[in-house]
Amino acid sequence: MAEADILRGQGGETHQVARGDTPVLTTQQGVPVADDQNSLRAGARGPTLLEDFHFREKIFHFDHERIPERVVHARGFGAHGYFELTESLSDITKADIFQRAGEKTPAFVRFSTVAGNKGSPDLPRDVRGFAVKLYTKEGNWDIVGNNIPVFFIQDAIKFPDLIHAAKQEPDRGFPQAQTAHDNFWDFVSLSPESVNMLLWIMSDRTIPRGFRFMEGFGVHTFRLVNAQGRSTYVKFHWKPKLGMQSVAWNEALKINGADPDFHRRDMWNAIQNGDFPEWELGLQLFDDAFADKFEFDILDATKIIPEETIPIRKVGRLVLDRVVDNFFAETEQVAFCTQNIVPGVDFTNDPLLQGRNFSYLDTQLKRLGSPNFTYLPINAPKCPFAHFQQDGHMAMYNPKGRANYEPNSWGPAQGGPRETPERGFHSVPVVESGEKRRVRAELFADHYSQARQFYLSQAAVEQTHIKDAFVFELSKVETPAIRARVVSHLLNVDDALAKRVAEGIGLDAMPAAAEPARPVIRDLKPSPALSIVGNAPNSFKGRKIGVLVSDGTNADVLKGVMEAVKTEGAMLEFVAPKVGGFTCSAGKKHAAQQKINGGPSVLYDAVVVIPSAEGAKLLAREATARDFVNDAYAHAKFIGYAESAKPLFEKAGLTEMDEGMIALNSAADARRFVEACRKLRFWQREARVHAV
């Protein structure tokens, strides 16, 4: 590709211009397209205009590409629960849900992967959807977000291109549920606005331990509006009570083989066992004065506001306490729309949000087959509703009586519903002005500063994981020029990272750094809140231990482990040579949850290996038992063991013991082991088990 074919817009976005024999990009009506990077808006920071026929046609066609499966977020899992307000926000918003501390509002939450189809596994490296439907007394409010607070693109007009590039390549139909291919990296390497998101998706946040252990974000900047009409900017955060946790990449690959429903099963079991998943709702609240002085544009969905800059204000909790009665009727048919807000909440001019508001309703119409999808029980409001909309496929509610329009003169009894100026929804009366142009605001052009900040905020082990992820993904890219182009962007993030990635993929020569559209801010302070390792929960509650046992397992040690795990609020499963169970040294028969060749250690957060001496000799001849201990060691898990397990360790080649391996000779040892597990991983081991 000739450099002359590329122009940079005001926001640093890539414009590829048709020259010579290159075909001209047009609409479906054949109209030449002047700008395929920016939606039409009123001023650089103004709202997206409805008359933008190119954007409407493009997003309309994209929304209707597939039936009946969702184009994105196809593989999902949902659960019912409630939101409980813990602090009144009546001074900030008139939204009814935020008025009375202690009040509970019904909720439904759907978690999902983004890129994979319905049949894909739970643990690809991918963004996770985190969509919350709140059935408030004044209508349904959908907070449709992800487990990452930033996104790849700044303008919704690029969403079809992003997803086309990330999905299976169209000529071959693979790879499934992963971005490790040329098309994705070609697109993002030509879209510098994606660089911040690339650092996030190459981090451990895209391989979460489970839905219960990940954060959720509203992504965009919204407004809260009080009774006097004063608005306050807000960003929404869901903070898991169990803390964040991820798995290792090699572990994720093996989990997908051992249990492709790993995340679904974990959520289902937690709710069924009464260990209800819980998140705190946190708000970042700020005004125009802050927005004007902040280094980045608050309307830019590729940026965050660090928690150290604006602290998170915890105002409520989200609890999931009931699984669905029917997966299709609820999880599959639930329809989220970003446009679904309630009085006291309002939008901003974020161009990605503006486009999503247009897109989602159209998507649900195509997927669910009728404008009456709102009557499905999972989508219907739980408050009274009345309107004059009628007919259509599967109409379940039509106006009664003579009136199906307004205004009408039929009086209260027959005239139907009327407006309510006092309680009704009012948009914030923001004054908008500006030229009608396809353009981005000036600060949108900073593509690297926050990516650098994110990387420098990670612990050393997390930085290594990011490097490894880039190396893995780019090793699947067949075109050398694309690999080099990605490294050229990383040079604007961190020299050491770029060099380590270049070395990892065997790049012949280091490319020149990509030319930033706006100078990189290199002195942004690291944000400690962005590190998973640095914010470990110091608790093993909600986690699971796999206990490898056999006939003759020491009963006292077994009892000590079971009691320590129960006291911690964790779970355990017995993994045995036979799923029928085992008999301990006290002669008591115990049921086993897994057979060794179906219960690998990747399914557990830590492992205990306490077979009898005879059992260890038997397991030493079993390849999957050797894998059990080898994988636990390689994945930096804490390992509790009995001396009798040594033959198994030796046969597996595991002779180098470390502080993450704790001998279990008594109940006190078991308690010490579980306390050590609160650190979740023995990260010091990881450097010793990876050479490339």
Side-chain angles (χ1 to χ4, degrees), residues 49 75 130 175 197 233 237 260 269 314 332-333 371 432 475 491 505 553 592 601 609 618 644 678:
L49 300 180
R75 182 171 179 83
F130 195 122
M197 182 65 163
Y233 294 116
H237 299 247
N269 288 340
K314 306 286 182 61
E332 278 300 293
Q333 291 196 129
E432 304 286 3
S475 71
L491 284 166
I505 60 176
T553 285
S601 62
V609 185
L618 171 67
S644 57
R678 292 172 182 171

Side-chain angles (χ1 to χ4, degrees), residues 373-402:
F373 70 85
T374 57
Y375 299 137
L376 294 171
I378 193 64
N379 296 319
K382 297 185 185 300
C383 63
F385 62 92
H387 50 70
F388 291 112
Q389 296 169 18
Q390 66 176 37
D391 301 347
H393 290 295
M394 297 178 289
M396 305 174 203
Y397 169 89
N398 264 13
K400 295 180 179 180
R402 185 172 188 174

Side-chain angles (χ1 to χ4, degrees), residues 94-130:
K94 64 180 182 181
D96 184 78
I97 190 176
F98 288 134
Q99 300 306 302
R100 297 165 294 277
E103 187 167 288
K104 296 180 180 179
T105 299
F108 185 81
V109 181
R110 187 178 187 271
F111 306 95
S112 57
T113 53
V114 174
N117 296 346
K118 283 176 64 176
S120 58
D122 275 353
L123 256 172
R125 180 178 294 282
D126 198 359
V127 184
R128 297 305 189 281
F130 195 122

Side-chain angles (χ1 to χ4, degrees), residues 193-494:
E193 68 203 70
S194 299
V195 171
N196 192 23
M197 182 65 163
L198 292 180
L199 270 292
W200 284 82
I201 65 169
M202 292 299 105
S203 79
D204 292 343
R205 290 189 181 236
T206 48
I207 43 175
R209 158 67 175 79
F211 302 135
R212 299 182 294 142
F213 306 99
M214 68 185 195
E215 292 183 326
F217 302 91
V219 180
H220 308 284
T221 298
F222 291 85
R223 294 177 185 268
L224 294 179
V225 188
N226 69 8
Q228 291 73 45
R230 178 173 59 85
S231 78
T232 303
Y233 294 116
V234 61
K235 282 183 172 288
F236 299 108
H237 299 247
W238 300 105
K239 297 285 190 179
K241 289 297 290 293
L242 292 175
M244 284 189 293
Q245 184 180 342
S246 293
V247 300
W249 173 237
N250 178 266
E251 192 177 11
L253 296 175
K254 293 177 178 179
I255 290 173
N256 282 334
D259 185 2
D261 304 304
F262 184 72
H263 283 168
R264 294 181 174 206
R265 195 182 312 279
D266 177 74
M267 177 67 75
W268 174 275
N269 288 340
I271 295 175
Q272 296 288 58
N273 292 336
D275 297 323
F276 300 139
E278 183 175 336
W279 291 260
E280 292 179 297
L281 174 61
L283 310 179
Q284 284 182 302
L285 300 165
F286 55 99
D287 56 16
D288 283 304
F290 171 83
D292 291 340
K293 70 180 182 181
F294 187 49
E295 296 97 332
F296 308 98
D297 198 314
I298 64 163
L299 303 183
D300 181 355
T302 68
K303 306 296 190 298
I304 64 166
I305 301 174
E307 294 182 25
E308 293 79 9
T309 302
I310 295 184
I312 304 293
R313 179 175 171 182
K314 306 286 182 61
V315 300
R317 66 191 190 112
L318 174 69
V319 179
L320 300 182
D321 59 0
R322 181 166 63 89
V323 297
V324 300
D325 294 320
N326 182 273
F327 186 87
F328 177 81
E330 296 164 79
T331 304
E332 278 300 293
Q333 291 196 129
V334 66
F336 294 94
C337 298
T338 58
Q339 70 178 40
N340 291 351
I341 57 176
V342 293
V345 181
D346 205 355
F347 307 116
T348 61
N349 290 342
D350 176 342
L352 183 61
L353 174 60
Q354 296 263 319
R356 292 178 75 195
N357 288 344
F358 173 84
S359 173
Y360 277 55
L361 186 63
D362 192 44
T363 299
Q364 304 301 356
L365 170 64
K366 180 65 176 180
R367 193 172 62 85
L368 296 173
S370 166
N372 293 312
F373 70 85
T374 57
Y375 299 137
L376 294 171
I378 193 64
N379 296 319
K382 297 185 185 300
C383 63
F385 62 92
H387 50 70
F388 291 112
Q389 296 169 18
Q390 66 176 37
D391 301 347
H393 290 295
M394 297 178 289
M396 305 174 203
Y397 169 89
N398 264 13
K400 295 180 179 180
R402 185 172 188 174
N404 59 355
Y405 62 94
E406 66 86 25
N408 62 63
S409 58
W410 304 123
Q414 299 184 47
R418 299 289 190 259
E419 299 171 354
T420 173
E422 296 80 15
R423 292 183 53 215
F425 182 88
H426 291 272
S427 296
V428 176
V430 178
V431 176
E432 304 286 3
S433 64
E435 296 178 340
K436 187 167 64 176
R437 298 176 59 195
R438 295 185 183 275
V439 66
R440 298 188 193 187
E442 182 180 356
L443 290 181
F444 277 50
D446 188 328
H447 301 138
Y448 302 108
S449 299
Q450 283 207 353
R452 175 178 172 79
Q453 181 183 43
F454 177 80
Y455 181 73
L456 296 179
S457 300
Q458 305 302 296
V461 66
E462 293 172 301
Q463 291 182 346
T464 297
H465 293 171
I466 290 172
K467 180 268 295 183
D468 289 344
F470 272 108
V471 170
F472 174 85
E473 295 268 324
L474 294 178
S475 71
K476 302 296 184 180
V477 172
E478 299 173 358
T479 307
I482 296 175
R483 298 183 211 142
R485 197 185 306 140
V486 174
V487 173
S488 76
H489 291 297
L490 295 181
L491 284 166
N492 289 322
V493 176
D494 183 79

Side-chain angles (χ1 to χ4, degrees), residues 642-671:
E643 287 296 321
S644 57
K646 288 291 185 67
L648 171 59
F649 286 3
E650 291 170 1
K651 190 68 174 179
L654 189 57
T655 57
E656 185 179 350
M657 311 297 277
D658 59 34
E659 293 179 2
M661 304 178 70
I662 298 173
L664 304 179
N665 299 309
S666 66
D669 289 338
R671 289 193 297 271

Side-chain angles (χ1 to χ4, degrees), residues 481-625:
I482 296 175
R483 298 183 211 142
R485 197 185 306 140
V486 174
V487 173
S488 76
H489 291 297
L490 295 181
L491 284 166
N492 289 322
V493 176
D494 183 79
D495 286 342
L497 171 63
K499 291 174 183 176
R500 293 173 74 191
V501 171
E503 180 182 354
I505 60 176
L507 204 61
D508 292 332
M510 185 66 72
E515 185 66 30
R518 190 175 177 86
V520 181
I521 304 173
R522 296 191 171 272
D523 59 354
L524 288 177
K525 294 180 180 179
S527 170
L530 298 179
S531 168
I532 295 177
V533 171
N535 293 279
N538 195 32
S539 169
F540 203 62
K541 180 178 172 61
R543 277 73 179 178
K544 184 185 291 187
I545 291 179
V547 184
L548 184 57
V549 293
S550 71
D551 286 337
T553 285
N554 186 290
D556 292 335
V557 172
L558 182 67
K559 181 181 178 182
V561 170
M562 294 172 66
E563 289 179 349
V565 170
K566 183 178 180 180
T567 299
E568 185 71 10
M571 300 166 283
L572 65 75
E573 285 189 348
F574 293 131
V575 183
K578 297 179 180 179
V579 76
F582 66 102
T583 302
C584 69
S585 63
K588 181 179 179 180
K589 184 71 178 286
H590 299 265
Q593 286 73 44
Q594 300 286 352
K595 188 177 186 294
I596 181 58
N597 54 10
S601 62
V602 295
L603 301 180
Y604 307 105
D605 299 287
V607 300
V608 167
V609 185
I610 51 173
S612 64
E614 287 300 314
K617 292 179 182 178
L618 171 67
L619 292 170
R621 303 197 304 271
E622 171 58 44
T624 56

